[in-house]
Amino acid sequence: MPPPEIVVTSHLTDAQNRMMNGKLSPKADAKSRANALYTMAMLSLEDPKNDLQASLAELRQVTMLDPHFEDAQVEVANLLLQLNQLELALEQLQTAMKANPHSVEIEAALAYVQRLRGQNEEAIRLAKDALIKNPGQPTAMRVLLEVAGDQNDLAGGVLHVEDILKSSGPNAPASAWLLLAKLYVEVARSNARVPNSDSLNQTLLPIYQEAAAKPPPEIDTLTLLADTYRSLGRKRDALKTLQEGVAIDPANVDIILRCADLEIDLGQKTAALKHYEEAYALSPALTGLRETLGSLYLDNNRFEDAVRLFQEALADSPHNISLAIDLSIALEGAHHPDQAETSFQQVFTADTCPPEAYLQLAVFQLARDETAKASATLAAAQKRFPESAKVRFYEAIQHRYEKNYPAALASLEETRTLAVGPDAGILDTHYYLECAMTMNLAGEKDRFEETLHEGLAKFPNSADLMNELAFFWADEGTHLPEALALSKRAIELEPDNGAIQDTRGWVSFQMGEAKDALPYLQRAAFLTNNDPVVLQHLGDTYLKLGLRSEAIATWRHGLEKAPRNGDLANRIDAALAQAKNAHTRSAPTP
């Protein structure tokens, strides 16, 4: 009795098909020849001079030798589509489907052909069935999205695919969700009505969240999720996601630097500095990392560390004027006046010395309340660069520090006049904010509003300009509906900005809606690390809500941070006196 024939379920090897006498069975021999012919056909397809008809004939022969060769069946259909033979492709796949009724790949290809034929209902049915069987089937997923896009309901198509993936439970791996994200972006960008970036990211967010939730979490997936959070302005969520990545791979310099970048945006300078130090320890030769760390050391008054890094950097790039400026400032901060003077002179006497060398020194001096030194530095800058709009702008800031507001406003007007050519960029949002601040301090409130309106006309998406005007109106108790609209828009643009949250709460307070104001002011206090002005507003809100003890505690906290704040001290005294009078009136009669 001859040995039974081996049932083959793959095209990987011939060894599985060998009989005891060392020969292939007729069926296995056909499969073997089909494998060889398929390989030759696919190689010929890669040749730019390839004859599609010849390849089609070869692949048809493969399917005749082995009707269960799914890849060959699908490839025949692909070639027929390339040759614009849509109906033949349909026939071929329908025949293949009868021979392979459980083939997900053939079913998905059939769905794609039905979509091309305009048979959307049948295409959806086939694609949905294929995707349920294999949640990572790309053709089926693409069909569902493209049909939805044709019907101007791409977002609905994404939700449909999401429902299928969720119903698959653990069978839908992270790769299936990432495939959905990739295909969604491709289909969205090929549509006549391309969604804006916010809409794209809002749709991508839950997809990446699902992918990141699949164990084990992967760095690339977490990075995609973090980037989406950041694009939507949710920087804290982005940071939290990246911190998960650091926990998975503590030596991943890219993730560490991404964390540091977000921490700087969120005002978490200490945490950012720690991450930059970790990145530098792991990859000291990374371009720009040493200089960035040195600048952070300057910002955190770690001048000796900054000196060390900038000296190392200058040893590698001795003609880098920016590094020389930073080193000079670091030496000044580290109380090495002679070395600092020598370093500054080398910078200032260089032919390539830019105005920024003087301006950086002046800013450093102003930050240390050395207004006389800053004045001398800027005077030297003006002498050397008399037509520089940047120098005039920083002179305006210096005059404001000196409380010489007329001189500051005059310098700002000169800045506007000189801001032509390469200097035109100085008239940015910072310029309009500086003008507004100085005008407000000078009591020129009419010009203040006019300037901010001009700035917003030029920079309509500036959250800072919106916030400045909204806060001014709130403080004045005027234009409160307009202030509310501006502050709402500013929060949409920068939800993690403490000053903007404060304005939103203060507008509500001024509108008599203390209960609505409270959560914004509480969040503002957190985001600004309990800024005294924010605490004053928060305390006022507590008092308005009848929470006198909370108000007093909040003002006291603010007074600890700003001992000379008379407004806070007066509020505390008034609230304590009010509390005492209330207790006296309510005392029982003896």
Side-chain angles (χ1 to χ4, degrees):
M1 179 176 175
E5 183 173 310
I6 298 172
V7 178
V8 182
T9 58
S10 75
H11 300 275
L12 295 176
T13 67
D14 294 332
Q16 297 168 315
N17 301 300
R18 298 282 177 185
M19 297 175 65
M20 290 180 66
N21 61 5
K23 295 182 179 180
L24 290 171
S25 69
K27 187 174 181 180
D29 182 63
K31 287 179 180 289
S32 178
R33 287 189 290 125
N35 270 326
L37 189 56
Y38 178 79
T39 301
M40 291 176 59
M42 296 307 292
L43 287 173
S44 67
L45 281 173
E46 295 178 4
D47 186 347
K49 299 178 182 178
N50 172 62
D51 181 352
L52 290 183
Q53 291 287 1
S55 295
L56 178 61
E58 288 179 330
L59 286 167
R60 281 191 180 280
Q61 189 176 350
V62 172
T63 60
M64 290 175 65
L65 286 166
D66 183 2
H68 304 297
F69 201 148
E70 297 176 27
D71 290 347
Q73 296 280 16
V74 172
E75 198 58 47
V76 169
N78 285 337
L79 287 179
L80 289 169
L81 290 177
Q82 290 181 51
L83 294 167
N84 295 317
Q85 297 181 26
L86 183 59
E87 294 304 317
L88 284 178
L90 176 66
E91 273 181 45
Q92 190 274 331
L93 285 172
Q94 287 174 332
T95 302
M97 197 70 197
K98 290 177 182 177
N100 303 274
H102 302 297
S103 172
V104 174
E105 284 67 29
I106 294 174
E107 186 175 27
L110 190 54
Y112 184 71
V113 170
Q114 292 289 25
R115 190 194 80 78
L116 293 179
R117 296 178 70 244
Q119 302 298 314
N120 284 345
E121 288 188 12
E122 178 65 3
I124 290 171
R125 184 189 69 78
L126 291 166
K128 182 179 177 181
D129 187 61
L131 199 60
I132 289 171
K133 294 172 183 173
N134 178 7
Q137 219 298 323
T139 305
M141 198 179 290
R142 181 183 288 277
V143 167
L144 292 174
L145 293 177
E146 288 186 352
V147 170
D150 291 344
Q151 297 170 348
N152 292 322
D153 187 23
L154 182 54
V158 171
L159 290 174
H160 187 192
V161 175
E162 285 181 1
D163 288 341
I164 294 173
L165 296 184
K166 287 177 182 177
S167 68
S168 301
N171 294 327
S175 59
W177 290 96
L178 294 174
L179 175 65
L180 172 58
K182 177 177 178 291
L183 292 177
Y184 162 67
V185 172
E186 288 180 9
V187 174
R189 289 177 175 166
S190 66
N191 271 7
R193 296 169 60 184
V194 180
N196 60 38
S197 59
D198 275 356
S199 296
L200 278 170
N201 285 315
Q202 289 286 5
T203 302
L204 286 170
L205 182 61
I207 300 174
Y208 288 140
Q209 286 173 328
E210 290 286 349
K214 297 291 181 180
E218 296 184 358
I219 295 293
D220 289 345
T221 305
L222 292 172
T223 301
L224 287 168
L225 176 57
D227 288 346
T228 307
Y229 275 133
R230 186 167 190 169
S231 297
L232 291 169
R234 295 173 59 175
K235 294 179 182 178
R236 292 184 182 277
D237 289 321
L239 178 58
K240 183 179 178 182
T241 303
L242 289 174
Q243 286 169 340
E244 292 180 37
V246 173
I248 295 169
D249 186 0
N252 190 314
V253 174
D254 178 62
I255 296 292
I256 292 171
L257 289 176
R258 285 171 177 267
C259 283
D261 187 38
L262 279 165
E263 285 159 347
I264 287 177
D265 283 353
L266 292 168
Q268 301 175 11
K269 291 185 178 180
T270 302
L273 181 57
K274 179 176 177 292
H275 275 128
Y276 271 113
E277 287 177 325
E278 290 175 4
Y280 185 65
L282 289 166
S283 184
L286 188 63
T287 303
L289 182 52
R290 181 170 47 190
E291 292 77 2
T292 301
L293 181 56
S295 297
L296 276 174
Y297 281 144
L298 278 183
D299 291 342
N300 286 270
N301 296 329
R302 290 176 57 176
F303 299 114
E304 293 289 359
D305 290 323
V307 167
R308 171 176 53 81
L309 284 185
F310 290 136
Q311 284 175 335
E312 291 175 7
L314 270 173
D316 294 337
S317 305
H319 303 296
N320 188 317
I321 198 75
S322 296
L323 286 175
I325 296 167
D326 288 334
L327 175 59
S328 304
I329 292 173
L331 288 166
E332 180 79 12
H335 304 295
H336 301 304
D338 294 339
Q339 294 180 55
E341 178 67 22
T342 301
S343 184
F344 275 124
Q345 288 309 312
Q346 289 174 347
V347 171
F348 292 153
T349 56
D351 292 337
T352 56
C353 174
E356 286 76 15
Y358 293 90
L359 302 181
Q360 283 183 251
L361 175 58
V363 168
F364 179 76
Q365 290 164 335
L366 287 172
R368 293 160 66 89
D369 290 327
E370 297 173 346
T371 53
K373 286 185 177 181
S375 178
T377 300
L378 290 170
Q382 185 179 358
K383 183 177 180 181
R384 183 167 181 176
F385 305 100
E387 301 302 316
S388 170
K390 290 182 180 178
V391 173
R392 285 293 196 284
F393 179 62
Y394 280 84
E395 281 185 324
I397 296 173
Q398 177 243 323
H399 289 314
R400 173 170 60 78
Y401 267 77
E402 295 173 336
K403 299 184 179 180
N404 187 349
Y405 304 128
L409 291 173
S411 292
L412 288 168
E413 285 299 322
E414 290 176 14
T415 300
R416 188 189 288 267
T417 302
L418 293 170
V420 294
D423 273 359
I426 194 66
L427 300 182
D428 58 8
T429 56
H430 298 293
Y431 172 80
Y432 287 100
L433 289 168
E434 181 66 29
C435 285
M437 183 191 307
T438 307
M439 288 170 183
N440 195 26
L441 291 169
E444 299 191 18
K445 295 183 178 181
D446 291 339
R447 292 182 64 194
F448 173 92
E449 289 190 57
E450 179 185 336
T451 298
L452 286 176
H453 280 301
E454 180 187 339
L456 281 169
K458 190 173 180 181
F459 303 101
N461 293 318
S462 170
D464 289 330
L465 290 172
M466 294 177 195
N467 185 60
E468 194 71 21
L469 184 55
F471 185 80
F472 172 77
W473 279 337
D475 240 18
E476 294 289 303
T478 60
H479 303 288
L480 293 179
E482 293 91 335
L484 182 63
L486 273 182
S487 64
K488 284 181 177 179
R489 175 62 180 144
I491 278 185
E492 290 174 2
L493 292 168
E494 293 189 24
D496 289 321
N497 187 311
I500 290 174
Q501 292 281 347
D502 174 56
T503 297
R504 174 68 179 82
W506 193 232
V507 171
S508 290
F509 178 87
Q510 293 290 67
M511 295 179 79
E513 299 169 354
K515 187 176 180 180
D516 291 340
L518 187 60
Y520 293 103
L521 294 172
Q522 288 172 327
R523 179 160 170 75
F526 170 75
L527 291 172
T528 62
N529 192 24
N530 292 316
D531 179 273
V533 173
V534 175
L535 292 179
Q536 178 177 312
H537 295 159
L538 180 57
D540 289 355
T541 304
Y542 279 136
L543 189 65
K544 192 77 172 179
L545 292 170
L547 304 171
R548 185 184 294 114
S549 297
E550 288 84 347
I552 293 172
T554 301
W555 290 327
R556 279 177 170 161
H557 193 181
L559 198 59
E560 289 171 4
K561 304 199 75 171
R564 297 182 181 179
N565 190 316
D567 288 338
L568 287 171
N570 291 338
R571 278 170 164 76
I572 294 169
D573 290 342
L576 288 172
Q578 189 179 38
K580 183 178 179 180
N581 291 336
H583 288 313
T584 301
R585 285 195 302 272
S586 62
T589 303

